[in-house]
Amino acid sequence: MENIILLSRNTSNRGILTLHPKLAESMGITQITARKIRFGSNTYQSIVDISDQLPLNGASLSEDILDMLNIPQHCSLEIKQNGNEIQIGPFIGLLAGYYQSSIKKYLDHLRDYVLLYREIKGAILVFSLDHVDKVNHLVKGYLYNPQKKQWEEGIYPYPASIFVMTSSVSTAWIQHFKEIIGNAVFNDFFLTRWSIHKKLANSIGVKCYLPDTNLYGSPQDLYYFLKKFPNLTVKSLNSANRQAYRVLLRDSNSLVMTNLTNMETKTYRFNNRDQAYSIFSKYFKDGENLVQESIDVTGYRTITIRFIIVKNYSGQWQVMGSFTRGDQSVKKDGKLLPLVKFEKDIVKDFLQQSELHASLTYEELNHIAIDTVNEIEAMGVHLANAAVDITVGELGDIWISEIDHCNPSHDIALVAGYPGIYYEILKTNMLYAKKLAGF
């Protein structure tokens, strides 16, 4: 049962939590009893009393408990009994970076996560690793004040759940947090593109949708792969690095290198393999990239869709939205078409399919996206916020072209003109964090 409490400070007693009879009854408490009060990672032994002098859903905490646990009275807090503990929360942490100086500039952007605060509630703290006290399990960060609608600096116990929003968190840090708050830390890992590819390549459900991929161990690897696929994409193994290059073997003695970030193109001629190796060495470091068969080749129409997939409050994967630029081969005044919401009619028009066939294809694409994140999660990681890019060719061929698990930005929904979807995605992220926090 959800219980929003009217929390007041009791200055006349110590170690006492007093509840209105109705609130106490909803928690199964009918008489004075001893319980631990929990807020985030900290607890405080107290006596639970009952008084009809409090307002309905009223709870009064003695100031020693309020101060010891640093429970913010300005937040909309809920209360529940869990075994011999009474939890007050939810207390959600957004781990936004390593240095506090770096997260300050993101505070305005992180307000997007609390725009629908009334549906989330609780204490929401933005923090960085350099202000974590590992000995006393305290963290200095910015707590959202829903009354003033602003972030306020303070020191609090570890949150009850942590949403990792940065790739700068080491395994040692994650393990430390898990030892204190349990398996309530999500997106708490880093996987390379190659480790993800190997996992998907061994899966039954999605391996047929993978482009041919190899590790770039040396220039020789790229050279011989070009003989098989004269149109390749080279990506960093680092999943957080979005830069990629298109490598086109135009003929037996010329290469075209295109930076896919800024679309800068350079053409090189070579007379032998050693010259080709030298060109590759200028762009790529051995052992730090993978080489992939290009999907959207010249003269072949494709469409690439980004599926935004997050875990909902029930812990189930849900496609929250999908977006595309339409026909990727079409240019307008030298620019790509604007982002649009991906819908069944786009499938129907692009593939020239019937209404029924287009509906089946649309559903298949959604299932592929969800199957993909399920396979990644089967690697033993706690994934709950992801995006999957799927490319569809004009003949109906389907390829998984990119998987983004490193705190993917969902601004694509805003750019496409769907702020409602954008804020619903962020709210769903927070509701899953709320569930992990025990509420």
Side-chain angles (χ1 to χ4, degrees):
M1 176 180 177
E2 183 181 89
N3 290 296
I4 309 300
I5 55 173
L6 301 173
L7 187 60
S8 60
R9 178 183 289 264
N10 184 336
T11 58
S12 59
N13 292 308
R14 292 182 61 83
I16 299 289
L17 167 64
T18 308
L19 303 174
H20 184 277
K22 289 290 185 182
L23 179 58
E25 183 182 1
S26 72
M27 299 167 61
I29 297 173
T30 57
Q31 59 185 7
I32 297 176
T33 185
R35 289 288 187 275
K36 283 184 178 180
I37 309 300
R38 175 177 290 279
F39 178 66
S41 64
N42 280 6
T43 61
Y44 194 103
Q45 187 66 45
S46 72
I47 298 298
V48 181
D49 198 0
I50 301 171
S51 172
D52 58 8
Q53 299 302 305
L54 291 172
L56 192 65
N57 258 32
S60 175
L61 269 174
S62 56
E63 62 181 357
D64 58 326
I65 300 177
L66 275 173
D67 293 342
M68 177 66 184
L69 299 182
N70 204 0
I71 300 174
Q73 290 179 256
H74 55 259
C75 294
S76 298
L77 299 170
E78 301 176 19
I79 190 168
K80 65 180 294 187
Q81 184 168 222
N82 183 13
N84 69 339
E85 291 186 350
I86 290 179
Q87 291 179 263
I88 295 175
F91 186 11
I92 299 167
L94 306 181
L95 178 49
Y98 194 91
Y99 297 105
Q100 189 178 56
S101 57
S102 68
I103 70 172
K104 283 183 179 180
K105 58 186 177 183
Y106 295 123
L107 287 175
D108 283 343
H109 175 70
L110 291 173
R111 283 171 59 90
D112 289 352
Y113 284 85
V114 292
L115 184 75
L116 300 177
Y117 177 83
R118 289 186 179 182
E119 299 177 57
I120 304 164
K121 296 179 276 293
I124 300 171
L125 181 74
V126 177
F127 70 102
S128 56
L129 291 176
D130 66 333
H131 279 63
V132 173
D133 181 347
K134 296 175 76 171
V135 176
N136 298 303
H137 302 158
L138 297 173
V139 56
K140 182 179 181 181
Y142 300 93
L143 193 82
Y144 183 67
N145 185 330
Q147 296 176 8
K148 297 181 179 179
K149 298 187 184 304
Q150 64 186 31
W151 301 100
E152 296 178 342
E153 192 173 45
I155 298 175
Y156 299 91
Y158 284 4
S161 69
I162 297 175
F163 179 5
V164 179
M165 296 180 157
T166 173
S167 60
S168 60
V169 187
S170 68
T171 303
W173 269 111
I174 296 301
Q175 187 59 35
H176 168 73
F177 287 128
K178 286 186 174 182
E179 286 173 358
I180 308 304
I181 68 173
N183 191 29
V185 186
F186 67 99
N187 277 54
D188 56 331
F189 60 93
F190 178 78
L191 298 173
T192 68
R193 286 188 171 96
W194 181 242
S195 62
I196 291 174
H197 175 80
K198 287 193 296 182
K199 170 60 180 174
L200 298 183
N202 288 319
S203 69
I204 296 174
V206 300
K207 64 180 179 181
C208 57
Y209 304 112
L210 299 178
D212 205 329
T213 304
N214 269 355
L215 263 178
Y216 178 91
S218 67
Q220 291 93 323
D221 295 329
L222 179 52
Y223 184 85
Y224 287 110
F225 210 53
L226 269 174
K227 295 296 184 180
K228 183 178 181 181
F229 301 105
N231 198 325
L232 298 176
T233 302
V234 182
K235 301 176 181 178
S236 170
L237 290 181
N238 185 339
S239 300
N241 187 343
R242 310 299 164 86
Q243 190 174 56
Y245 281 87
R246 174 69 48 77
V247 183
L248 173 65
L249 184 63
R250 192 160 61 182
D251 55 52
S252 59
N253 294 106
S254 64
L255 289 166
V256 179
M257 308 285 288
T258 303
N259 185 328
L260 296 180
T261 303
N262 56 24
M263 300 310 292
E264 286 184 358
T265 297
K266 290 186 178 181
T267 301
Y268 297 92
R269 293 199 61 80
F270 61 95
N271 297 316
N272 52 54
R273 283 182 295 179
D274 288 340
Q275 289 181 353
Y277 295 165
S278 179
I279 295 167
F280 299 151
S281 296
K282 291 179 182 179
Y283 286 85
F284 314 117
K285 291 183 178 180
D286 295 358
E288 295 186 9
N289 297 277
L290 57 77
V291 185
Q292 201 166 65
E293 166 195 4
S294 288
I295 300 161
D296 49 340
V297 298
T298 303
Y300 185 68
R301 294 168 62 244
T302 61
I303 185 171
T304 297
I305 311 106
R306 166 149 288 210
F307 291 85
I308 298 171
I309 315 163
V310 303
K311 277 188 177 175
N312 58 26
Y313 180 76
S314 300
Q316 300 299 311
W317 286 108
Q318 183 176 345
V319 175
M320 299 295 298
S322 50
F323 301 90
T324 184
R325 287 191 184 277
D327 185 347
Q328 300 292 294
S329 65
V330 174
K331 302 284 195 282
K332 185 177 181 180
D333 297 328
K335 297 181 180 179
L336 286 171
L337 293 172
L339 286 162
V340 295
K341 189 171 182 284
F342 179 67
E343 296 179 301
K344 181 183 64 178
D345 285 346
I346 294 178
V347 180
K348 181 181 176 182
D349 294 341
F350 180 70
L351 296 178
Q352 294 296 296
Q353 292 180 338
S354 66
E355 190 81 24
L356 176 60
H357 197 178
S359 295
L360 294 173
T361 302
Y362 181 83
E363 290 302 319
E364 180 186 9
L365 293 171
N366 280 270
H367 286 304
I368 292 169
I370 290 178
D371 288 346
T372 300
V373 291
N374 274 323
E375 289 291 342
I376 296 172
E377 196 174 18
M379 297 174 73
V381 298
H382 193 163
L383 177 63
N385 183 45
V388 176
D389 293 344
I390 296 178
T391 298
V392 180
E394 61 184 331
L395 299 180
D397 44 327
I398 298 171
W399 305 93
I400 299 169
S401 50
E402 186 63 86
I403 297 148
D404 193 351
H405 70 273
C406 296
N407 189 35
S409 169
H410 303 312
D411 291 356
I412 189 172
L414 288 176
V415 176
Y418 291 87
I421 293 178
Y422 172 75
Y423 289 109
E424 190 67 22
I425 293 166
L426 304 194
K427 184 190 81 173
T428 305
N429 283 150
M430 297 299 288
L431 289 178
Y432 179 68
K434 178 178 181 175
K435 179 74 171 181
L436 291 180
F439 291 84

